[in-house]
């Protein structure tokens, strides 16, 4: 699949790059994408939720009323979950939400996500970019030239470029990452994915294994 290379002003440079069919042109696997996104979101959870159960409530241990003859249900502890101020029944406990996925499945998920974006014409290839200093307005100008200033966008660099990264950090809905940080969630969460020329080789090498 051939894609036009754009310059910093969003204009066609007249050059085209060939996107690997093994990465950007496979049969998408929706379930692999679902599992990889689910794992990413699960890993974001701290799992520190906790509610006190009846054994952890401070209170008297005496039997609150006699067993029989009251006409109401029998009751022992005031700390029971059926009473106000009692413990929580089946409340949340601290737990680890993370789960394992095989590397091949995660690789398939990323390729499926990139293919979906390519099919939706939501992948752009851009000349490598550099700023003399971190300036948000410089990056905003790039977004406007691409028509992405009001959309969620993901920019993928070949190598870390602090000036480009810092220029984008203050913009809501825009994220700049390197090709090694590419994840299925980040691809699917963006309306458009902008790949800098320097990132293509790394992406195709990582996902063609």
């Amino acid at each position: 699949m051939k894609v036009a290379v754009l310059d910093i002003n969003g204009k066609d440079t007249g050059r085209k790059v060939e996107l690997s069919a093994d990465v950007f042109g496979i049969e998408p696997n929706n379930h692999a994408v679902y599992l990889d996104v689910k794992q990413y979101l699960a890993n974001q959870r701290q799992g520190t939720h906790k509610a006190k159960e009846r054994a952890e409530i401070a209170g008297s241990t005496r039997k609150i009323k006699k067993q029989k003859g009251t006409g109401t249900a029998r009751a022992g502890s005031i700390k029971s979950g059926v009473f106000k101020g009692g413990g929580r029944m089946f409340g949340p406990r601290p737990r680890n939400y993370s789960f394992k996925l095989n590397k091949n499945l995660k690789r398939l998920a990323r390729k499926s996500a990139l293919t979906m974006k390519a099919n939706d014409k939501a992948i752009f290839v851009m000349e490598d970019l550099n700023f003399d200093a971190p300036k948000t307005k410089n990056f905003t100008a790039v977004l406007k030239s691409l028509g992405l200033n009001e959309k969620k966008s993901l920019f993928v660099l070949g190598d870390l470029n602090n000036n480009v990264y810092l220029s984008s950090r203050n913009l809501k809905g825009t994220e700049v990452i390197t090709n090694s940080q590419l994840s299925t969630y980040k691809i699917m969460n963006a309306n458009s994915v902008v790949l800098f020329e320097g990132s293509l080789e790394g992406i195709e090498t990582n996902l063609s294994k």
Side-chain angles (χ1 to χ4, degrees):
M1 181 172 112
K2 289 191 175 182
V3 179
V5 179
L6 306 178
D7 62 15
I8 191 172
N9 299 313
K11 306 293 185 182
D12 192 341
T13 61
R15 295 186 294 113
K16 291 183 180 291
V17 292
E18 183 73 35
L19 297 182
S20 172
D22 293 334
V23 176
F24 297 91
I26 68 167
E27 180 67 34
N29 188 311
N30 291 329
H31 192 62
V33 171
Y34 158 75
L35 287 175
D36 203 13
V37 169
K38 181 181 178 182
Q39 185 196 49
Y40 179 91
L41 294 174
N43 288 341
Q44 307 307 303
R45 301 186 68 173
Q46 287 186 314
T48 53
H49 41 46
K50 178 72 176 74
K52 285 188 177 182
E53 300 182 2
R54 61 184 290 169
E56 298 163 315
I57 295 290
S60 172
T61 57
R62 76 176 182 87
K63 185 170 174 65
I64 58 175
K65 62 181 180 180
K66 64 182 184 178
Q67 178 78 348
K68 304 172 79 66
T70 62
T72 58
R74 53 195 173 185
S77 173
I78 194 68
K79 297 185 284 186
S80 168
V82 301
F83 295 120
K84 181 180 178 181
R88 171 85 181 269
M89 290 188 282
F90 305 110
R93 295 178 175 182
R95 58 165 289 195
N96 179 11
Y97 283 91
S98 64
F99 58 94
K100 180 183 179 297
L101 288 179
N102 293 330
K103 285 182 182 179
N104 285 342
L105 187 143
K106 290 171 72 69
R107 195 176 295 125
L108 172 62
R110 288 198 294 275
K111 290 194 287 189
S112 296
L114 288 170
T115 298
M116 290 176 185
K117 292 297 179 187
N119 291 342
D120 292 339
K121 302 290 190 292
I123 286 185
F124 302 93
V125 177
M126 196 171 178
E127 285 182 327
D128 288 329
L129 182 66
N130 195 17
F131 298 138
D132 295 331
K135 290 283 185 183
T136 302
K137 68 179 180 181
N138 291 346
F139 202 89
T140 303
V142 173
L143 289 175
K144 286 182 178 177
S145 68
L146 295 171
L148 301 178
N149 49 315
E150 294 183 359
K151 296 180 181 179
K152 280 186 180 179
S153 54
L154 178 69
F155 287 75
V156 185
L157 298 167
D159 296 304
L160 182 62
N161 185 321
N162 269 330
N163 285 348
V164 175
Y165 169 70
L166 293 173
S167 297
S168 69
R169 190 169 60 172
N170 204 32
L171 295 172
K172 186 178 180 181
T174 299
E175 187 174 8
V176 173
I177 61 173
T178 61
N179 56 32
S180 61
Q181 298 171 312
L182 198 62
S183 71
T184 305
Y185 174 82
K186 289 180 179 180
I187 296 168
M188 298 303 294
N189 190 45
N191 296 120
S192 298
V193 179
V194 180
L195 307 176
F196 290 106
E197 277 189 284
S199 69
L200 292 176
E201 184 180 353
I203 292 172
E204 292 176 358
T205 300
N206 290 339
L207 297 183
S208 296
K209 295 174 182 177

